[in-house]
Amino acid sequence: MPVPNPDALDFLLTRRSRLARTLSGPGPDRTEIARLLTAAARTPDHGKLEPWRFIVLEEAACRRLGALTRSLGAEQGRDPDKLVKNAMGFDTGPLCIAVVAAPKPSEKIPEVEQTLSTGAVCLALLNAALAAGWGANWLSGWMALDREFLTQGLGLEPTEWVAGYIHIGAETQPVQERARPDLAALTAWVEA
């Protein structure tokens, strides 16, 4: 017989990301960040490859990446209004954790499974931050895949990319509920 954990289930049924632009300092300290990373690392990982890693971007590093977003994006001819939005999470929040997809060569574990594990790490980190009482948001954007940004901003290897920038900080605004998926339209029941 299952042993329910109603508090955990209630959290999952009511969790809501916070807008990155509404997060402010102070953010979690290094001890609490280590706890959040520990929770995130308890994700499914077929083959125990750990095809992901973390880069903790403290406030000054976030500001540097905000500036790089604007300057590199302008050089590349990206829409200036969108660049302001792209940079906002880096410009305003006290902390961001880049979850880096770092696929490993494996005859047994296909890269798609490693990518799915990395996405699971992003959600686990997001939920751990929310459960710990922080505001948090999972963002990506062009800065997650643009090779020049990844090299200049984060020093990533050519095979690495960012699965998610998890912005974490103190909440400054009440959270608003949003429309949720229509499960009936997305679910098929197979009886035989």
Side-chain angles (χ1 to χ4, degrees):
M1 193 65 155
V3 178
N5 185 334
D7 291 338
L9 185 57
D10 184 55
F11 166 77
L12 293 171
L13 290 170
T14 58
R15 63 155 300 283
R16 175 73 172 94
S17 297
R18 280 32 175 203
L19 297 174
R21 70 177 179 265
T22 67
L23 302 178
S24 72
D29 63 24
R30 288 186 176 200
T31 300
E32 187 157 13
I33 293 167
R35 188 169 186 230
L36 300 177
L37 296 176
T38 300
R42 291 186 62 95
T43 196
D45 175 15
H46 188 196
K48 299 180 184 177
L49 294 178
E50 298 168 3
W52 33 261
R53 63 188 182 92
F54 305 106
I55 299 176
V56 179
L57 302 162
E58 295 178 299
E59 194 166 344
C62 286
R63 300 308 176 264
R64 179 179 57 80
L65 289 182
L68 181 62
T69 299
R70 288 186 301 281
S71 65
L72 184 57
E75 286 175 26
Q76 294 176 351
R78 297 182 186 274
D79 181 326
D81 293 331
K82 289 183 181 174
L83 288 177
V84 170
K85 183 178 178 182
N86 294 149
M88 194 167 295
F90 294 128
D91 288 341
T92 58
L95 175 77
C96 177
I97 300 174
V99 179
V100 177
K104 306 284 192 304
S106 173
E107 292 181 14
K108 183 179 175 188
I109 314 302
E111 192 167 319
V112 67
E113 286 189 27
Q114 296 181 49
T115 298
L116 293 170
S117 178
T118 306
V121 167
C122 290
L123 183 58
L125 179 56
L126 176 71
N127 281 339
L130 293 170
W134 297 101
N137 196 301
W138 172 3
L139 297 176
S140 54
W142 65 270
M143 306 85 65
L145 300 174
D146 183 85
R147 185 51 44 201
E148 195 171 354
F149 185 91
L150 297 174
T151 301
Q152 283 186 41
L154 299 170
L156 298 192
E157 297 296 324
T159 57
E160 296 179 321
W161 48 279
V162 173
Y165 292 104
I166 312 301
H167 297 269
I168 303 172
E171 296 182 44
T172 62
Q173 295 180 11
V175 67
Q176 304 261 330
E177 189 51 61
R178 66 179 188 119
R180 295 296 169 180
D182 176 2
L183 291 180
L186 300 171
T187 305
W189 295 85
V190 179
E191 294 182 17

